[in-house]
């Protein structure tokens, strides 16, 4: 028997994206057994407190969701309840009823895969195809050498060096301090492999989403004056506001200082520059000999000399890694394939083409690379061969 307090707690945990796997199952089971109007009323009372969830940027196919609900009801032995027209304020109830949990990156307003053509033909090639790598999520690497794969955890949480790591229903992990007296400042790493995406909520409430082949280095506990982390690869930050303790992100030759904001940082070790793109709030980008303050919509590029260049960013392109499509602007074919190599098991690229045309567009991340190569063939003068997990580019 669930009390109103317990259900309210579960709903708020779901909306705040802090719900654990066991709690998510508990809430889902309650919804399946409850009256539609009871569920709707509860979510309508809760969602107005979560303004950023429904700011007009979240899109989903409401008709298909309702169809799925009707199908579930038809298969159920429980009595059927009439339902009224679902509003956006009751959308969360619809989604959770169908056992779908919002990924954190879906609230940014990225292009939907449904907007991309699915007319993908098989590339005419005798070689092996290349599959997209499995999105297995994140891994925790502790300073003592222990490595934990989040997706394989059967427990709701583990405790390590004064910190509780709570495994969430969306595949992420949340850190909670359980020993305030613990003072050891060890550095740990949360990382993704090629093809992975994952999210972590730090003990201060800051959420970090990692892209493919990326890592976040964080301390067991933050110092008294600053919250300092390191990024290698690409990450999106939603920083918890704390005027008395700035949040600092270090990577390559760049340092980002914020109080509370949302921004994307891209700094792969094999690239000699970093990119910081501000979505909301304010950040100060610092290099060894320069610094610039950004406003929302701007991007700062810092090269290896420490020079900082600021320009207006295309946010959809920058944040497309969080969706199932790949957006690109003004890139050569080789540059496009290099980026795709972060998601597919590509061993290398052999470019035998002298063409240097640049392209702008959107590609759907299909299961196999041959579909994308076929799409690229239709918009360019290039031809491709897959040979021993390498991509050969020809005229």
């Amino acid at each position: 028997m669930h009390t109103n307090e317990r259900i309210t707690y579960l709903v708020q945990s779901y909306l705040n994206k802090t719900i654990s796997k066991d709690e998510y199952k508990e809430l889902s089971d309650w919804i399946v057994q409850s009256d539609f109007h009871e569920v709707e009323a509860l979510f309508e009372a809760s969602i107005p407190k979560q303004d950023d969830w429904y700011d007009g940027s979240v899109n989903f196919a409401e008709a298909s969701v309702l169809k799925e609900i009707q199908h579930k009801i038809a298969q159920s032995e429980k009595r059927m309840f009439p339902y009224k027209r679902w509003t956006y304020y009751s959308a969360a109830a619809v989604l959770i009823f169908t056992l779908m949990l919002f990924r954190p990156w879906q609230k940014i307003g990225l292009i939907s895969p449904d907007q991309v053509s699915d007319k993908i033909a098989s590339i005419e090639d005798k070689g092996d195809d290349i599959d997209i790598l499995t999105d297995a999520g994140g891994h925790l690497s502790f300073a003592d050498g222990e490595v934990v794969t989040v997706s394989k955890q059967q427990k709701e949480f583990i405790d390590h060096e004064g910190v509780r790591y709570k495994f969430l229903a969306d595949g992420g992990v949340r850190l909670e301090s359980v020993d305030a007296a613990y003072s050891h400042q060890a550095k740990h790493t949360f990382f993704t492999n090629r093809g992975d995406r994952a999210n972590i909520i730090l003990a201060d409430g800051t959420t970090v989403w990692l892209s493919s082949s990326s890592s976040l280095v964080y301390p067991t506990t933050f110092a008294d004056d600053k919250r300092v982390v390191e990024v290698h690869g690409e990450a999106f930050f939603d920083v918890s506001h704390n005027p008395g303790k700035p949040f600092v992100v270090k990577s390559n030759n760049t340092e980002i200082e914020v109080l509370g904001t949302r921004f994307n940082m891209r700094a792969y070790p094999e690239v000699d520059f970093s990119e910081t793109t501000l979505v909301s709030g304010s950040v100060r980008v610092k290099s060894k000999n320069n610094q610039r303050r950004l406003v929302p919509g701007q991007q700062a590029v810092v090269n290896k000399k420490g020079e900082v260049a600021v320009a207006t960013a295309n946010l959809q392109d920058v944040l497309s890694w969080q969706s199932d499509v790949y957006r690109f602007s003004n890139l050569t074919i080789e540059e496009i394939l290099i980026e795709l190599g972060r998601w597919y098991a590509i061993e290398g690229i052999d470019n035998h083409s002298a063409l240097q045309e640049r392209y702008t567009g959107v590609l759907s991340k299909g299961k196999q690379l041959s579909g994308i190569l076929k799409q690229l063939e239709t918009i360019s003068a290039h031809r491709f061969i897959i040979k021993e997990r390498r991509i050969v580019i020809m005229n």
Side-chain angles (χ1 to χ4, degrees):
M1 182 70 180
H2 289 90
T3 65
N4 289 338
E5 290 78 10
R6 177 61 178 172
I7 294 301
T8 299
Y9 164 77
L10 293 175
V11 170
Q12 289 300 324
S13 296
Y14 168 77
L15 295 176
N16 292 330
K17 308 173 195 68
T18 60
I19 193 168
S20 69
K21 294 178 181 179
D22 291 342
E23 290 171 341
Y24 178 60
K25 183 179 185 304
E26 181 183 352
L27 180 58
S28 300
D29 290 344
W30 174 80
I31 289 175
V32 170
Q33 299 169 10
S34 300
D35 184 294
F36 277 176
H37 297 305
E38 182 181 2
V39 175
E40 184 179 26
L42 181 59
F43 275 87
E44 284 184 344
S46 303
I47 291 178
K49 301 175 184 178
Q50 311 290 330
D51 296 335
D52 62 337
W53 269 71
Y54 294 94
D55 58 0
S57 64
V58 177
N59 297 310
F60 64 93
E62 184 174 1
S64 64
V65 172
L66 289 175
K67 183 177 180 180
E68 176 67 15
I69 290 176
Q70 291 172 327
H71 174 73
K72 286 181 177 292
I73 295 174
Q75 300 300 318
S76 175
E77 296 180 355
K78 303 180 186 300
R79 67 187 183 94
M80 296 178 58
F81 297 94
Y83 61 90
K84 64 181 180 180
R85 176 182 173 274
W86 292 89
T87 65
Y88 279 99
Y89 280 141
S90 61
V94 177
L95 289 175
I96 201 169
F97 185 89
T98 56
L99 306 185
M100 293 185 293
L101 191 66
F102 265 123
R103 289 281 188 178
W105 42 77
Q106 284 182 292
K107 75 176 199 177
I108 301 174
L110 302 176
I111 186 170
S112 166
D114 295 335
Q115 296 174 264
V116 182
S117 173
D118 59 355
K119 297 179 180 179
I120 300 177
S122 297
I123 186 171
E124 296 179 0
D125 173 51
K126 302 300 183 180
D128 296 329
D129 207 341
I130 297 178
D131 293 335
I132 192 168
L133 293 169
T134 302
D135 190 350
H139 311 265
L140 293 161
S141 177
F142 298 120
D144 60 9
E146 181 183 359
V147 177
V148 173
T149 299
V150 174
S151 62
K152 294 182 179 180
Q153 295 306 302
Q154 300 299 318
K155 299 179 180 179
E156 185 175 347
F157 64 87
I158 61 173
D159 291 337
H160 191 279
E161 295 187 352
V163 176
R164 174 160 294 176
Y165 292 81
K166 185 177 180 181
F167 304 111
L168 307 179
D170 66 351
V173 59
R174 182 185 183 95
L175 280 58
E176 299 175 352
S177 177
V178 293
D179 185 359
Y182 195 88
S183 60
H184 182 48
Q185 289 292 315
K187 288 187 176 181
H188 311 294
T189 303
F190 181 66
F191 69 94
T192 57
N193 292 322
R194 193 154 51 125
D196 292 346
R197 291 179 299 195
N199 64 289
I200 183 170
I201 304 175
L202 302 177
D204 70 329
T206 293
T207 304
V208 185
W209 292 272
L210 290 183
S211 184
S212 172
S213 301
S214 301
S215 63
L216 175 78
V217 180
Y218 62 93
T220 303
T221 57
F222 286 122
D224 294 334
D225 57 340
K226 288 184 178 180
R227 299 168 287 169
V228 181
V229 299
E230 299 174 32
V231 166
H232 305 282
E234 185 165 19
F236 182 86
F237 287 82
D238 190 345
V239 178
S240 176
H241 185 69
N242 186 343
K245 186 181 288 190
F247 194 92
V248 177
V249 182
K250 295 183 177 181
S251 186
N252 293 352
N253 53 1
T254 306
E255 182 176 299
I256 312 299
E257 183 173 319
V258 302
L259 296 178
T261 187
R262 301 168 70 210
F263 65 96
N264 195 83
M265 188 171 192
R266 181 181 176 89
Y268 282 100
E270 65 271 19
V271 180
D272 60 3
F273 63 89
S274 65
E275 297 174 343
T276 302
T277 308
L278 183 61
V279 175
S280 65
S282 177
V283 302
R284 182 165 60 244
V285 180
K286 301 168 62 177
S287 68
K288 58 185 178 183
N289 54 22
N290 205 344
Q291 66 176 0
R292 297 286 297 273
R293 184 175 290 277
L294 301 185
V295 299
Q298 287 186 329
Q299 179 182 83
V301 179
V302 181
N303 63 23
K304 60 182 178 181
K305 296 180 181 180
E307 299 169 333
V308 183
V310 177
T312 301
N314 184 323
L315 293 182
Q316 283 192 316
D317 285 0
V318 172
L319 302 176
S320 69
W321 65 265
Q322 302 179 4
S323 70
D324 291 326
V325 299
Y326 168 50
R327 298 177 62 95
F328 54 93
S329 297
N330 197 36
L331 297 183
T332 65
I333 290 295
E334 185 173 4
E335 289 171 336
I336 293 172
L337 291 178
I338 289 174
E339 181 61 30
L340 290 174
R342 303 190 192 283
W343 300 96
Y344 291 82
I346 298 173
E347 298 299 333
I349 299 171
D350 299 321
N351 191 354
H352 298 296
S353 172
L355 300 177
Q356 292 296 315
E357 288 86 353
R358 293 183 174 273
Y359 301 89
T360 297
V362 181
L363 293 171
S364 175
K365 293 177 184 174
K367 181 179 180 181
Q368 295 182 321
L369 185 63
S370 60
I372 288 183
L373 295 180
K374 189 65 178 179
Q375 289 178 309
L376 292 176
E377 285 187 346
T378 64
I379 66 171
S380 71
H382 294 88
R383 294 295 177 265
F384 306 96
I385 292 178
I386 301 175
K387 186 177 183 180
E388 296 179 350
R389 308 197 76 79
R390 299 181 67 87
I391 307 300
V392 182
I393 307 175
M394 304 176 297
N395 289 346

